[in-house]
Amino acid sequence: MCLICKCYDETETLCNCLQTDYHFEYTECDSSGSRWRVAVPNPSVECSGLPDPVKGKECTFSCASGEYLEMKNQVCSKCAEGTYSLGSGIKFDEWDELPAGFSNVATFMDTAVGSSENKADSCNNSSWTPRGNYIESNRDDCTVSLIYAVHLKKSGSVFFEYQYIDNNIFFEFFIQNDQCKEMESTADKWVKLTDNGEWGSHSVTLKSGSNILYWRTTGILMGSKVVKPVLVKNITIEEEGSSTCIERPPCTSKDFFQIHTPCDKEGKTQIMYKWIEPKICREDLPDALTLPPSGERKDCPPCNPGFYSNASSSCTPCPQGTFSDGTQECKACPAGTEPALGFEYKWWNILPSNMKTSCFNVGNSKCDGMNGWEVAGDHIQSGAGGSDNDYLILNLHIPGFKPPTSVTGATGSELGRITFIFETICSADCVLYFMADINRKNTNVVESWERSKEKQSYTHIISKNASFTFTWAFQRINEGQDSRQFINDMAKIYSITVTNAVDGVSSSCRACALGSEQSGSSCVPCPPGHYIEKETSLCKECPANTFLSIHQVYGREACIPCGPGSKSNKDHSACFSDCTVSYFRDNQSLNYDFSNLSQVGSLMSGPSFTSRGTKFFHFFNISLCGNEGKKMAICTDNITDVTLKDMVAESEDFSNFVGAFVCQSTIIPSDSKGFRTALALQSNSLADRFLGATVETTLENISIKTDLFPPSPSKVPDVHFFYKSSTVTTSCENGRATVVTMRCNPNKPDQGELSVPSSCPAGTCDGCTFYFMWESAEACPLCTEQDYHEIEGACKKGFQETLYVWNEPKHCIKGVPLPEKRTSTCETVDFWLKVGAGVGAFTAVLLIALTCYFWKKNQKLEYKYSKLVMTANSKECELPAADSCAIMEGEDNEEEIVYSNKQSLLGKLKSLATKEKDDHFESVQLKSSRSQNI
């Protein structure tokens, strides 16, 4: 503040500075290695009469460790007991506020076309935030730089500690000179990830002259999950300045911890309290706590399965080849059986030898050396810790995994599993992390649970034989304040079970295979794909198209049938597709061959945008058929840094890629955040086991939503490939599932086109089941005889051609080819035309002749009939009728009709027609004039 004083002449002026109004600093070293000590007013203080500058200590001067440079007298002084000092150099270890010389610059590095100024304005409040003992980066998707400039007359170095556990935020440290050019010493500016709850360190050489230090972070927000910030502390720059010693604080409950002693011969354990070492607190200050009394005795729980009590205070592992349930002595496994190796921890008197616990705080070292978890009889629970934001850590180390002796040759996707039962009791935003480290390379978060969770079980599948370290880390709150408000929030683990552990113990025995000639001999390994026959205890190969279960090798039921459209590999360790599928419908067989689509197909869906407008894409790789069960689709956390060759060469140790039938990565394009290359992150497996291929819409409790894709325009049925992932998450209790629908589309040749549902651009609507549509002409069924028809040509010169053409539209490929053109002999049409004309003419003449004949005959009959009628109506004879009206000899017939004796062709036909009727004429009595006269 500004102090105004009145002088004797009534004028106002600044008052003289007090010693508390200023502090001393050194100027930069000159070319001769000299510098000056100057007085600098404290912030918000204005005063006059500052001490004059004096010659400072030479630039090469430094204080020893445990001493500090007292600037007033420029001498090294010893730190008081319980305090510390770095000696020479500048060390920024207090972050209650941003130290002088540091600045924040926030931008929104989205250079994509159409990005608006509103995005940049939204980053105005984004910055690095001091949290007491450390400084914390931003949690949003802005790009924020923490900048500090220093000028050195000779070379030096910068050192800092950091915690960087979330790969959804990018962290880089680099140095520029006063021309804004990056220094060669920070060519590799990307900072490595650290394990959860542990501090990493980073140091870089500084050249003489101006050095501008940049700590820059960029968050990538995917969904609603907030990124974990980068934490930085203990920034140390050689040369220049001084440090002070820190006072010892009063003792609190954070300065001691509780342990259980091993069981004594009476089966009792004692609760003991100990100070955290080194002890830096004081018990003689007001409100300071003293160490609670120790010695309370409690009953010890029994030994864990696989261990036994040897009349001592500790539990001992059973010898090799024996087993125990923890309450009895170890016994040898019966003939024909072998120990089921593993670990089953369900009683917690002492921490097992392959487990350890620790406490870690990102901002201080107060809980270092403190037990993060405490054994509590039937469970193990998170400890008190030093503060609410401590990470309470529990580790379990397993040197390797192997299947049982009888299935040594198994090469399935599961070698073992770890299962634990837990619950969390929280009143704040607590988090329990479960992590796995492979071959001590890098610790990755497998699953996490927030807030209170009911007692439940979780299982993680082990698919490779490697050294594993499993970690449970519990944090009550994720805030920088050193508070103790939620000490009653805790996590409890009731049991931890690990199967097929290399150095495990046995709580039971399981059947094993025996030698064929020595029925009582020790166990022998079965060849790959063989199960143990119950009657003989001998190895027997699984039937065709079945795979051997890793959990059950005893009995025929250990061989699990493969799904439709799949077959087992040679070792019966997995089922795979040979890219062929057959389907019978309406007495017709449809056969598909997807061999030309067996290569890995890729799909980039999007773009999508975060809530802050950051552009990203979903990238998928799909290996439709694999290679006899081998998963060929590979996704890596940075596709620009790792080649496929490198990944294959380091497949055992490389932890940044996954191999599966279907895998996914999130791609941040280079133009989205101003990076030099595109970045890939969040790579994970969506499918590591092939279930089958069928036209049905349901397989192994996986049902396809038929309304996600438009219906097929053709009548050819779609073929669905079903896959399963063994990874179980909180939201997907049964693991993830993937369905790839193959659709026949003649308009899309070769590899065709991959797509995801328009309503679910990420490929999934619930995060558990993923759907893909693969349209291609190669997805059409093989052609058969029903897919073509024949066309007959005209008969020319005694020959006729028959052609074969495909039915339109054509919805088949390969298969049966079109038959060749066929030629056959035939009769010409001229001959049969002449024969037909002749027969027709003859028939016409015959009909005309018959018509004329019957017409003439009808006329004569009518004439005779009329004559008879006229005669009958004339005057009757007066005399009795004569016996005969016939013409007597010598009389003339006045009504004589004369016929020709010569018969014509018609006459002959007439005689033939009337031949049978001559005998049926009746006699008619005719009257004539002659008879009347008589």
Side-chain angles (χ1 to χ4, degrees):
M1 63 181 177
C2 181
L3 299 177
I4 306 298
C5 300
K6 286 188 177 182
C7 298
Y8 292 106
D9 58 0
E10 297 298 327
T11 60
E12 294 183 353
T13 183
L14 293 176
C15 295
N16 291 331
C17 294
L18 303 176
Q19 291 186 3
T20 58
D21 294 334
Y22 61 89
H23 63 278
F24 293 105
E25 291 183 4
Y26 281 124
T27 63
E28 295 180 2
C29 296
D30 56 24
S31 58
S32 62
S34 301
R35 56 185 174 181
W36 291 82
R37 190 206 69 177
V38 297
V40 179
N42 293 331
S44 304
V45 172
E46 296 183 15
C47 59
S48 63
L50 291 172
D52 294 332
V54 298
K55 185 82 172 187
K57 290 285 187 179
E58 62 275 11
C59 292
T60 58
F61 175 81
S62 63
C63 293
S65 177
E67 298 178 342
Y68 71 100
L69 180 62
E70 198 272 306
M71 292 293 289
K72 182 178 180 180
N73 300 317
Q74 298 192 74
V75 295
C76 294
S77 300
K78 290 286 185 180
C79 287
E81 183 180 355
T83 62
Y84 67 93
S85 173
L86 177 68
S88 63
I90 300 176
K91 180 176 182 180
F92 299 99
D93 58 357
E94 294 184 0
W95 298 92
D96 296 320
E97 60 182 2
L98 196 65
F102 283 88
S103 61
N104 271 298
V105 176
T107 59
F108 191 87
M109 297 184 65
D110 193 340
T111 60
V113 177
S115 59
S116 63
E117 295 181 358
N118 294 333
K119 296 179 181 178
D121 295 339
S122 64
C123 293
N124 290 338
N125 297 326
S126 184
S127 66
W128 286 75
T129 306
R131 296 295 189 187
N133 295 307
Y134 60 90
I135 187 169
E136 177 184 284
S137 74
N138 58 310
R139 295 170 179 258
D140 52 27
D141 53 355
C142 296
T143 298
V144 184
S145 297
L146 178 66
I147 305 174
Y148 184 79
V150 62
H151 184 83
L152 300 179
K153 287 299 181 180
K154 61 179 182 178
S155 60
S157 64
V158 58
F159 169 88
F160 62 90
E161 297 179 73
Y162 69 95
Q163 187 185 54
Y164 175 30
I165 63 174
D166 193 343
N167 59 6
N168 288 325
I169 188 169
F170 300 104
F171 180 33
E172 49 186 331
F173 174 74
F174 58 94
I175 303 171
Q176 291 183 346
N177 58 20
D178 49 7
Q179 283 80 39
C180 294
K181 294 183 179 180
E182 289 190 21
M183 310 290 279
E184 296 180 358
S185 58
T186 55
D188 185 12
K189 62 182 180 179
W190 299 105
V191 182
K192 296 181 179 180
L193 288 167
T194 61
D195 294 340
N196 198 1
E198 296 185 7
W199 285 97
S201 61
H202 193 80
S203 62
V204 177
T205 302
L206 299 178
K207 293 185 176 181
S208 60
S210 296
N211 293 267
I212 305 175
L213 315 181
Y214 289 85
W215 292 264
R216 187 165 71 181
T217 56
T218 303
I220 306 297
L221 298 183
M222 298 295 172
S224 60
K225 198 166 186 178
V226 180
V227 299
K228 297 291 184 181
V230 175
L231 310 179
V232 174
K233 69 175 184 178
N234 294 339
I235 298 177
T236 305
I237 302 173
E238 284 191 357
E239 300 290 334
E240 290 191 17
S242 63
S243 58
T244 58
C245 301
I246 302 174
E247 294 292 334
R248 294 175 60 189
C251 293
T252 66
S253 59
K254 299 177 293 183
D255 297 310
F256 58 85
F257 59 95
Q258 168 187 310
I259 63 171
H260 287 71
T261 63
C263 294
D264 56 23
K265 294 182 179 181
E266 298 177 358
K268 299 290 184 179
T269 180
Q270 289 182 319
I271 299 177
M272 307 296 291
Y273 296 92
K274 291 186 177 182
W275 291 110
I276 297 175
E277 296 295 341
K279 180 186 176 185
I280 62 174
C281 66
R282 295 175 58 180
E283 302 177 64
D284 56 350
L285 296 177
D287 299 327
L289 296 181
T290 59
L291 194 66
S294 301
E296 181 183 358
R297 291 165 59 86
K298 290 186 177 181
D299 292 335
C300 289
C303 294
N304 280 306
F307 294 81
Y308 73 101
S309 177
N310 57 354
S312 65
S313 60
S314 62
C315 295
T316 304
C318 286
Q320 184 177 3
T322 63
F323 71 100
S324 172
D325 62 358
T327 61
Q328 300 177 357
E329 294 184 357
C330 301
K331 300 179 181 179
C333 288
T337 64
E338 64 178 348
L341 297 180
F343 294 102
E344 184 181 359
Y345 298 132
K346 62 180 181 179
W347 299 113
W348 304 92
N349 174 52
I350 60 173
L351 201 64
S353 59
N354 60 347
M355 299 185 71
K356 67 177 183 177
T357 178
S358 60
C359 178
F360 169 77
N361 191 294
V362 296
N364 58 66
S365 58
K366 293 181 180 179
C367 78
D368 292 355
M370 180 183 295
N371 286 337
W373 291 69
E374 302 171 354
V375 293
D378 63 345
H379 66 276
I380 184 171
Q381 65 186 29
S382 56
S387 58
D388 290 339
N389 61 351
D390 290 344
Y391 284 98
L392 307 173
I393 299 172
L394 179 67
N395 302 110
L396 168 64
H397 179 68
I398 305 295
F401 291 85
K402 68 175 182 179
T405 302
S406 298
V407 289
T408 301
T411 58
S413 60
E414 179 181 337
L415 290 180
R417 56 176 57 192
I418 177 172
T419 302
F420 58 93
I421 300 175
F422 72 99
E423 70 172 332
T424 55
I425 305 171
C426 302
S427 58
D429 297 332
C430 68
V431 182
L432 174 64
Y433 298 93
F434 173 62
M435 298 167 283
D437 176 277
I438 303 177
N439 292 332
R440 301 186 184 274
K441 293 290 184 179
N442 190 26
T443 301
N444 296 313
V445 176
V446 177
E447 189 57 88
S448 62
W449 299 267
E450 299 179 355
R451 296 181 175 270
S452 295
K453 296 296 180 183
E454 296 181 351
K455 191 174 181 180
Q456 58 186 275
S457 174
Y458 179 81
T459 299
H460 177 63
I461 305 299
I462 309 301
S463 58
K464 64 185 303 183
N465 185 14
S467 173
F468 279 80
T469 298
F470 301 104
T471 301
W472 293 264
F474 179 72
Q475 187 182 38
R476 293 183 173 92
I477 58 173
N478 185 19
E479 296 181 1
Q481 299 177 355
D482 189 10
S483 62
R484 296 287 293 162
Q485 301 178 12
F486 307 102
I487 190 173
N488 293 323
D489 291 3
M490 66 178 63
K492 295 182 178 181
I493 297 178
Y494 293 91
S495 66
I496 300 175
T497 303
V498 182
T499 64
N500 298 336
V502 169
D503 61 345
V505 295
S506 176
S507 61
S508 62
C509 299
R510 57 189 166 197
C512 68
L514 301 177
S516 58
E517 297 180 357
Q518 304 175 14
S519 59
S521 64
S522 59
C523 296
V524 297
C526 285
H530 287 63
Y531 67 96
I532 304 172
E533 195 174 38
K534 292 182 178 180
E535 292 77 12
T536 62
S537 294
L538 300 178
C539 299
K540 188 173 183 179
E541 185 177 5
C542 282
N545 297 330
T546 63
F547 69 96
L548 185 64
S549 170
I550 193 66
H551 307 293
Q552 169 68 24
V553 296
Y554 190 62
R556 171 62 178 79
E557 57 271 19
C559 302
I560 303 174
C562 294
S566 64
K567 59 180 64 175
S568 62
N569 57 6
K570 182 179 179 181
D571 294 338
H572 294 277
S573 60
C575 295
F576 70 96
S577 171
D578 61 358
C579 281
T580 62
V581 178
S582 297
Y583 171 64
F584 296 91
R585 183 188 66 177
D586 300 332
N587 296 325
Q588 180 183 359
S589 175
L590 295 179
N591 299 304
Y592 298 82
D593 186 356
F594 303 104
S595 299
N596 290 342
L597 302 177
S598 61
Q599 299 298 320
V600 175
S602 299
L603 167 65
M604 182 89 76
S605 69
S608 299
F609 297 87
T610 65
S611 59
R612 296 289 293 272
T614 300
K615 181 170 63 176
F616 65 94
F617 296 86
H618 293 288
F619 181 75
F620 302 94
N621 276 331
I622 299 176
S623 175
L624 186 67
C625 307
N627 182 12
E628 292 192 3
K630 297 179 181 179
K631 301 171 281 289
M632 304 302 293
I634 294 177
C635 294
T636 176
D637 278 350
N638 197 329
I639 59 176
T640 60
D641 291 345
V642 182
T643 64
L644 179 61
K645 180 180 179 181
D646 295 333
M647 288 186 287
V648 172
E650 302 180 12
S651 59
E652 290 299 322
D653 297 327
F654 201 86
S655 58
N656 291 330
F657 83 95
V658 294
F661 286 103
V662 183
C663 62
Q664 175 192 27
S665 294
T666 301
I667 305 298
I668 309 297
S670 58
D671 62 353
S672 180
K673 284 289 181 181
F675 298 125
R676 296 176 181 175
T677 58
L679 297 176
L681 64 155
Q682 297 180 339
S683 298
N684 56 79
S685 169
L686 303 181
D688 53 26
R689 184 165 68 94
F690 177 68
L691 300 181
T694 176
V695 299
E696 305 297 334
T697 57
T698 302
L699 182 64
E700 288 196 15
N701 299 324
I702 304 174
S703 297
I704 301 175
K705 295 182 179 180
T706 56
D707 58 344
L708 291 178
F709 295 101
S712 175
S714 68
K715 295 183 179 179
V716 177
D718 297 334
V719 178
H720 310 290
F721 280 69
F722 291 82
Y723 306 89
K724 192 79 173 179
S725 173
S726 58
T727 302
V728 178
T729 63
T730 304
S731 57
C732 305
E733 296 181 353
N734 297 321
R736 292 190 177 100
T738 301
V739 180
V740 180
T741 298
M742 310 301 297
R743 175 167 292 179
C744 172
N745 191 334
N747 298 323
K748 297 182 179 180
D750 301 329
Q751 291 296 304
E753 180 181 352
L754 271 165
S755 62
V756 295
S758 58
S759 58
C760 306
T764 178
C765 299
D766 58 4
C768 297
T769 305
F770 290 76
Y771 297 95
F772 302 92
M773 174 71 73
W774 197 335
E775 297 182 83
S776 171
E778 297 293 333
C780 296
L782 300 179
C783 295
T784 64
E785 289 80 359
Q786 286 75 27
D787 293 309
Y788 63 82
H789 62 277
E790 63 180 26
I791 299 178
E792 293 184 350
C795 184
K796 296 180 180 180
K797 298 181 180 180
F799 295 96
Q800 183 181 38
E801 293 183 347
T802 302
L803 301 177
Y804 298 88
V805 296
W806 295 111
N807 298 334
E808 292 294 340
K810 182 186 177 185
H811 290 105
C812 66
I813 59 169
K814 297 179 287 188
V816 176
L818 278 176
E820 297 292 336
K821 178 177 64 176
R822 180 169 56 87
T823 302
S824 59
T825 58
C826 62
E827 298 289 345
T828 60
V829 71
D830 295 341
F831 171 78
W832 292 108
L833 183 61
K834 293 178 181 179
V835 173
V839 173
F842 173 77
T843 304
V845 172
L846 180 61
L847 291 175
I848 294 173
L850 291 175
T851 303
C852 294
Y853 165 72
F854 286 109
W855 179 81
K856 184 176 181 181
K857 178 179 180 181
N858 185 55
Q859 290 296 105
K860 290 183 178 181
L861 289 176
E862 289 182 354
Y863 172 75
K864 289 183 178 181
Y865 179 75
S866 61
K867 291 289 288 181
L868 290 174
V869 172
M870 293 176 62
T871 304
N873 293 333
S874 64
K875 187 178 180 180
E876 297 181 355
C877 294
E878 295 180 355
L879 294 176
D883 293 336
S884 175
C885 290
I887 300 176
M888 300 302 292
E889 186 178 354
E891 295 181 352
D892 295 330
N893 184 7
E894 297 177 355
E895 301 174 358
E896 182 178 353
I897 299 175
V898 179
Y899 296 94
S900 174
N901 293 328
K902 185 178 181 181
Q903 288 186 327
S904 63
L905 177 60
L906 291 177
K908 294 179 179 179
L909 294 174
K910 170 187 174 182
S911 62
L912 291 174
T914 58
K915 181 177 180 180
E916 296 179 355
K917 298 180 179 180
D918 292 343
D919 297 334
H920 301 286
F921 287 164
E922 297 180 356
S923 298
V924 179
Q925 187 176 2
L926 300 177
K927 294 182 179 180
S928 63
S929 59
R930 184 181 297 270
S931 63
Q932 292 178 352
N933 294 331
I934 296 174

